[in-house]
Amino acid sequence: GTEKNKETAKGYFLRACNQEHPASCFAMGLLLEENKGEKHAEAYQKGCVLNHAESCFRSGYAKEKSHPKLALAEYVKGCNLQHAPACVNAGLLNLQSSKAPPFFARACELGDHQGCTNLGMLYLRGNGVSQDISRAKSLLEISCRAQNPTACDSLKNELYQLAEQAC
């Protein structure tokens, strides 16, 4: 039944991945990830080498705890391939530096509301960028309108605190 079909699919994906078909490497990674014990990161890494954006994201995620610098490289590549969540994660790994804002900005441009929220918070607090309350407010409003509760709460709380300080 299902297990036999998965093994057959894995064989097809492996063959296609070995023939440098990036989406097959990604699909192989998904199948391997389902089986918990098998190494899926290698399939994602090969997909990333072949310029499959989501493979780069998943390869980076698999490496984040053990090899953060390698993970960052995978996220940056995924971001350069227009994968917004990879941009967000690249920004998060660079949060303590001035390198984070461009990654969050790119994610926001690609329509990722978490990227907009993160960038808005940086502008609100002046972390890695010059503080710009107006820019922060517009970014957080974009995310809030997209139903991101974190952005709505941040917008409300941070702006309330700033109003309190101004009085």
Side-chain angles (χ1 to χ4, degrees):
T2 305
E3 286 307 310
K4 185 177 180 186
N5 290 344
K6 284 183 181 179
E7 284 304 312
T8 302
K10 197 166 30 170
Y12 287 127
F13 290 140
L14 178 61
R15 193 170 326 122
C17 181
N18 287 336
Q19 293 172 353
E20 301 198 347
H21 188 266
S24 295
C25 299
F26 175 72
M28 175 95 170
L30 289 175
L31 272 178
L32 292 172
E33 194 170 1
E34 253 182 42
N35 293 339
K36 307 277 186 231
E38 295 193 59
K39 295 196 175 210
H40 54 279
E42 292 169 15
Y44 292 141
Q45 184 174 355
K46 180 154 187 186
C48 183
V49 167
L50 297 171
N51 295 321
H52 187 270
E54 192 166 350
S55 290
C56 294
F57 172 74
R58 291 192 179 241
S59 179
Y61 188 79
K63 294 173 183 163
E64 199 169 299
K65 288 187 176 91
S66 58
H67 299 96
K69 287 184 180 174
L70 294 175
L72 178 60
E74 303 283 15
Y75 288 146
V76 169
K77 184 169 184 180
C79 183
N80 290 337
L81 293 168
Q82 315 303 314
H83 192 268
C87 299
V88 170
N89 283 17
L92 291 172
L93 285 181
N94 276 301
L95 205 50
Q96 303 307 318
S97 76
S98 60
K99 294 179 183 175
F103 290 114
F104 293 144
R106 186 70 189 122
C108 187
E109 289 167 13
L110 292 169
D112 188 293
H113 302 297
Q114 190 59 52
C116 300
T117 299
N118 293 352
L119 185 59
M121 295 305 294
L122 293 179
Y123 275 110
L124 197 61
R125 296 180 179 143
N127 291 352
V129 293
S130 297
Q131 188 176 36
D132 184 338
I133 303 302
S134 174
R135 179 97 170 103
K137 186 175 180 267
S138 68
L139 287 162
L140 292 171
E141 284 174 345
I142 290 168
S143 295
C144 188
R145 277 195 296 274
Q147 308 297 315
N148 183 326
T150 302
C152 298
D153 291 344
S154 297
L155 183 61
K156 185 172 54 183
N157 293 336
E158 294 287 338
L159 294 176
Y160 178 78
Q161 287 177 2
L162 289 169
E164 287 282 306
Q165 292 170 3
C167 293

